[in-house]
Amino acid sequence: MAFLSGLSAFPITPINRDGRIDTKALRKLIKRLCAAKVDSIGLLGSTGCYMYLSRGERRRVLTTALGEAGGRAPIVVGVGALRTDEAVRLARDAKAIGAAAGLLAAVSYTPLTDDEVFEHFSVVARESGLPIVIYDNPATTHFHFTPALVGRLVKVPGIVAIKNPTGKSDAIESHLAEQRSIVPEGFSIGYSGDWNAAEAMIAGADTWYSVLGGILPEVCVKIVRASQAGDATEARRLDAALTPIWDLFKQVSSLRTVYALAELLDICRAEPPRPIMPLPAAAKQQVAAALARLPSGTGS
């Protein structure tokens, strides 16, 4: 089995109006994920607003989460930064505190070349000693990992997995097959983009890196287990029941939607870091209506 497999659940990082991390709410989120028996926790991903947090804040988030998880689920933590030396320090922090792996994106202001990204990832993996997951997130970084670049990176010691975006659902199977042909055995191939992730798991992907899994883990675990058991019909049935949520993710963004869900589920009243604004009242009502339409057993 690959180093990372199954459901990797990505929670929000609860922050109050003053920009301070709500550790009590964070522990509540982590406890919820562990109770659902997620396979790993994706801390400080895009849903966790990693790029809005200082090094000290990131350390505090990771220390809090690891303390609550207590070894029940490995934690993959975002270590992305604009500068290579900063990413190295973040990855070293993550390793020292106890993270299982680091999630590294090609974050930039000036557009990066393939050679620059290759060097960035190689240095972080080598100098930190932390296992690294390639985070291909072109929607935010505006950089896409080509097959040629992935083929180079998978040969770098310490790079162990990739988190791919999903495009059209009917293209996932061919993308997965192509990527399998260029990565070594045991290298974990996973996908984000929740509304297409069930099809990725049915096609044989190792991991679903899930935004919704960070707030409604039970139903996402069920989709993954059905996929792993070869029951595509059940996986698709469960996925179809989440269509109201997927529609909101596309309309108002998954980040804003899950912050609203956290409030509606009485987990916390956190807001995304400014300048990101929480959903207005009308959109929150849409989220509440979508949540009410979900069938029992979704963890709501």
Side-chain angles (χ1 to χ4, degrees), residues 61-86:
V61 169
L62 179 55
T63 299
T64 300
L66 281 166
E68 180 62 41
R72 289 177 290 172
I75 291 182
V76 180
V77 63
V79 295
L82 284 168
R83 295 201 329 243
T84 301
D85 60 319
E86 291 178 344

Side-chain angles (χ1 to χ4, degrees), residues 132-157:
I132 296 296
V133 179
I134 300 167
Y135 185 9
D136 188 0
N137 189 16
T140 57
T141 64
H142 307 291
F143 183 89
H144 178 68
F145 287 79
T146 63
L149 179 56
V150 172
R152 293 171 65 191
L153 285 169
V154 298
K155 297 181 176 68
V156 175

Side-chain angles (χ1 to χ4, degrees), residues 89 135 181 256:
R89 284 191 286 272
Y135 185 9
S181 71
R256 295 178 181 88

Side-chain angles (χ1 to χ4, degrees), residues 34 119 144 148 246 280 282 295:
C34 291
E119 181 67 12
H144 178 68
W246 302 154

